[in-house]
Each structure stands twice: as C-alpha cells, then as structure tokens.
Amino acid sequence: MNGVDGSHIGGVDGVDGVGDAQRALGGFLRARRGRVAPEQVGLAGGRRRRVRGLRREELAQLAGISVDYYVRLEQGRATQPSAEVLDALAGALGLDAAERKHLDTLACAKRDPVPRAEVSPLLQRMLDSLDHFPVFVTDHRMDVVAWNALGAELIGGEPGLPGSRDQNNARYLFLDPASRAVHPDWEARAAEAVGQLRVAAGRYPDDAELSALINELSAHSADFRRIWATGEVVMCAAGRKRLRHPEAGLLTLDFETLHVPAAPGETGLVVHVFSAEEGSEEASALARLASLASSAGPATAVRDVPIPV
C-alpha cells in the first residue's frame, strides 16, 4: 500500500522508516504536509492538484528553506537539520508540542537503548493498594505488563489467561474485532495507539520487537496503515474514555497516566489509572466490578516480562 506522496507503508520492506531514523524523518514530513490543506496557509487549492496537502516546494517556501534541501530531508540525504530549520518546518506544518518533540527525536537520529523496564515489588504494591481504581501498566510497546484486580476486570480478564484479550493493546485494537464493541470511540483509541507506537519507534529504532509489532499490524490491518500514513503522534496524558463492559454496561471514566522511568531519561512504564466522579453511576458500577474482582480471588498481577540484553 502507498501512503502520502507514494511512501511505502507495510510489506516486506517495513513501515515507512521504522528502524531507520532518516527514512522515518522523511516519512513523518511527507505525512504531515499531506495533512495541511493549501487553503489553510493562504495557497490556492482546487481539484486539479495531484498532491494531497502541500507540495514539497510549497512547504519549503513556507519554511524559508531551499527546495533542494527540503527534498534531501525527505529522502534521508540531509542529516541533523538545525533547530532553526526544525522550528520553521514545525511552524509551517502547524505541529503541536508532542509532534514538535517527535520531529526533534527523528532529526537528531539518537539511538536510545531499548528500556529495561521491570515491574518492581514496590510498584505492584502501589497498584494493589489502589483497589477502588482500575489500574494497569503498559510498556513502550503497549504490552500490558502489570495490573490490579479491578484493572484486570476492566480490560477483560487477566492478560495471558485463557479467554482474556490479547496482551498488547495495539494488537487487540487492530486485530480483534471485539475491540470495536468495547470501545465506542474506536477511531480515537486507534489513533492514540498508532501515535504512541510512532513515538516509541522514533525513540527506539533498534527495538526489533517493536518493529516486528508495527510491521505485523501494517500487514494485517488496513486501518492501521491508513492511520499510520497520517503521521499521527500522541503522548500519553489524561482525559476521559468510554468503555463497554459486559457486566457494567457503558462506562465513561476519567483517566490519568503516570510515567515510571526505567532509568534516568528513559521512558519505561506507563501506569493507567481510571476513576469516576464520586456519586456517579460510573462510581457505583466500579464498586460492583470491584466486588466481582475480589470474589474472583487474587489476581496474578505481573507476567514474566523478558528483559532486553
């Protein structure tokens, strides 16, 4: 399948620069200029345009750089662009803070070591103490690596046990049809997953497991390929999500994400904490789910996480 401007998405050659920082930078720039309508920046549009979004020369002009240099950036032939060039490109493309940071990551071509994320006994004790809140923990590949009893109940059972959903959140969203019933706002959740994987792939281009996951999703999901081609970038934050539970029905829950570094300066684990406003129907539903979770017995809270060497 071809993405914006003919960039290759999926297939045996891999997904648009995953594992190759220079190709990833070019792919990201192509995707993002494909999202900018000419009319947004005062240029003439019209049906005769053969390129979706901005042309290369138009973006170069808006950013105040030469067309030749911009073309070399997209083709991976120009390395380490200056902060001034990146600022100009970010401004022309209308990048937000998360997208700008991702652009910096790709441009510096720094190969961060794959995080050696472990679930410590202290972290697990904290999860278990939050027995009134559904909590689960993911790594940078979006694998669920730890949870408390209520968290397991919310996400469909203890990961890894018979009958539970796939342990990887992205694989579950894109390859399990049941995810669309669980997530009424599936498109938004899918975009978040793609955006988070893109950030991780930019930071850890040497992570073979992550690259294999992204290529697997690209090979088997047209929706993944479609969203990846937009250049979506998402950093875990806070907000509100809707989930449909077989016992509790449709729940609208607040969530917060807490980051546990694997080492100083590294993104290690992400703790996802869900809650409901006191006195709300959702709070009552969570209380019922907590009762169900406790009656089911203690959860095996941590899977055996292989540590990269």
Side-chain angles (χ1 to χ4, degrees):
M1 174 178 177
N2 289 335
V4 177
D5 246 23
S7 58
H8 183 72
I9 304 293
V12 294
D13 295 330
V15 178
D16 207 15
V18 170
D20 182 330
Q22 291 304 117
R23 281 184 58 205
L25 174 60
F28 182 61
L29 289 172
R30 282 191 297 273
R32 298 311 300 196
R33 69 179 171 86
R35 292 178 64 163
V36 181
E39 296 83 357
Q40 290 178 251
V41 291
L43 298 174
R47 296 181 179 178
R48 291 193 171 188
R49 294 179 65 93
R50 298 169 61 184
V51 175
R52 187 178 66 192
L54 297 176
R55 299 186 180 100
R56 287 169 172 164
E57 58 269 24
E58 291 170 338
L59 177 55
Q61 180 181 3
L62 289 169
I65 60 178
S66 74
V67 176
D68 176 69
Y69 181 68
Y70 178 75
V71 169
R72 286 190 286 122
L73 274 177
E74 273 203 7
Q75 293 177 344
R77 295 187 293 116
T79 59
Q80 297 184 331
S82 68
E84 290 77 16
V85 167
L86 295 178
D87 282 339
L89 288 171
L93 292 169
L95 302 187
D96 63 21
E99 293 159 350
R100 178 66 173 86
K101 184 174 182 180
H102 182 63
L103 182 65
D104 283 341
T105 298
L106 297 179
C108 74
K110 180 183 176 183
R111 307 185 81 85
D112 286 347
V114 179
R116 300 171 60 87
E118 298 182 69
V119 179
S120 68
L122 177 60
L123 176 58
Q124 186 59 56
R125 194 184 315 146
M126 183 190 77
L127 303 184
D128 292 335
S129 69
L130 297 172
D131 54 357
H132 294 297
F133 299 92
V135 186
F136 62 89
V137 181
T138 57
D139 63 12
H140 66 285
R141 302 183 193 104
M142 300 189 68
D143 285 324
V144 179
V145 297
W147 52 89
N148 65 5
L150 189 50
E153 181 66 35
L154 185 68
I155 64 175
E158 295 176 40
L161 292 184
S164 64
R165 68 169 178 79
D166 195 288
Q167 199 149 324
N168 181 273
N169 279 345
R171 191 181 288 112
Y172 166 68
L173 279 168
F174 287 101
L175 303 186
D176 188 339
S179 69
R180 296 174 187 262
V182 172
H183 295 281
D185 306 308
W186 184 90
E187 188 73 23
R189 303 289 79 78
E192 287 175 1
V194 172
Q196 290 168 30
L197 289 178
R198 183 182 289 276
V199 169
R203 294 198 65 177
Y204 310 113
D206 294 326
D207 187 340
E209 285 187 52
L210 177 61
S211 295
L213 170 66
I214 292 171
N215 282 297
E216 175 193 358
L217 296 175
S218 175
H220 295 98
S221 172
D223 283 315
F224 181 87
R225 296 191 297 269
R226 170 179 58 81
I227 298 171
W228 185 276
T230 68
E232 193 72 44
V233 172
V234 175
M235 303 285 190
C236 288
R240 181 166 289 186
K241 291 183 179 179
R242 296 194 302 162
L243 303 95
R244 185 171 285 107
H245 189 274
E247 299 289 338
L250 183 62
L251 299 172
T252 301
L253 300 175
D254 297 314
F255 74 94
E256 184 73 58
T257 54
L258 312 174
H259 294 265
V260 180
E266 286 187 4
T267 299
L269 299 173
V270 179
V271 181
H272 306 260
V273 184
F274 289 81
S275 65
E277 186 176 350
E278 187 174 355
S280 66
E281 292 183 10
E282 278 79 5
S284 299
L286 286 183
R288 293 196 301 273
L289 291 182
S291 178
L292 286 174
S294 62
S295 65
T300 303
V302 184
R303 74 173 175 95
D304 183 17
V305 184
I307 305 301
V309 296

